[in-house]
Amino acid sequence: MKTIIHTDDAPKAVGPYSQAVRTGNLLFTAGQVAIDPAIGKMIEGDIIAQTERVMQNLQAVLAAAGTSFDHVVKTTVFLADMADYAGMNEVYGRYIGNNPPARSAFAVRGLPLGAKVEIEMVVEIPDA
């Protein structure tokens, strides 16, 4: 059985997808870009600012599902420019903490709305 996760504290889906889907004890997030949910538009700024917004969006989705970054088991990071890897990593590391999940990072040809970074996660939801 799957459960759709939605929160107004993260950007609304801009297509036919959900912010996240829970099945059993696993949560799969959609990729998040640096859209400010308060205004529904991409933020201005460099990779530091955009990664900060992406991680805030993901944090809101995880909270809506009853979990946190402590339970992330896998992330995938998409970068518009691999030269932004260090800046993304700096912000990402502050949110993820000392027990980081497995991660892949790729440079891609382009991201939605001209984003510099998009991140998706697979998260274990502990038993209540």
Side-chain angles (χ1 to χ4, degrees):
M1 182 170 81
K2 72 179 185 179
T3 303
I4 304 302
I5 305 299
H6 171 78
T7 178
D8 290 334
D9 295 330
K12 293 178 182 173
V14 295
Y17 63 89
S18 300
Q19 290 171 328
V21 175
R22 179 181 178 168
T23 182
N25 281 24
L26 290 177
L27 179 75
F28 298 86
T29 74
Q32 286 287 325
V33 295
I35 295 174
D36 181 338
I39 60 172
K41 296 188 187 232
M42 283 287 294
I43 67 162
E44 297 289 324
D46 62 6
I47 191 64
I48 301 291
Q50 285 204 11
T51 305
E52 187 77 34
R53 179 75 260 169
V54 167
M55 296 304 284
Q56 290 168 357
N57 292 345
L58 285 164
Q59 191 170 42
V61 171
L62 299 187
T67 191
S68 69
F69 290 128
D70 291 339
H71 301 284
V72 176
V73 295
K74 173 72 168 79
T75 60
T76 306
V77 177
F78 305 95
L79 293 164
D81 185 343
M82 212 58 183
D84 287 333
Y85 182 83
M88 175 280 301
N89 216 34
E90 174 187 324
V91 176
Y92 173 92
R94 286 196 316 255
Y95 280 86
I96 291 300
N98 294 327
N99 294 307
R103 184 180 82 184
S104 301
F106 303 94
V108 295
R109 185 175 189 103
L111 291 168
L113 306 173
K116 296 178 185 303
V117 60
E118 180 173 355
I119 301 175
E120 65 182 23
M121 296 181 163
V122 178
V123 187
E124 180 181 37
I125 299 177
D127 292 327

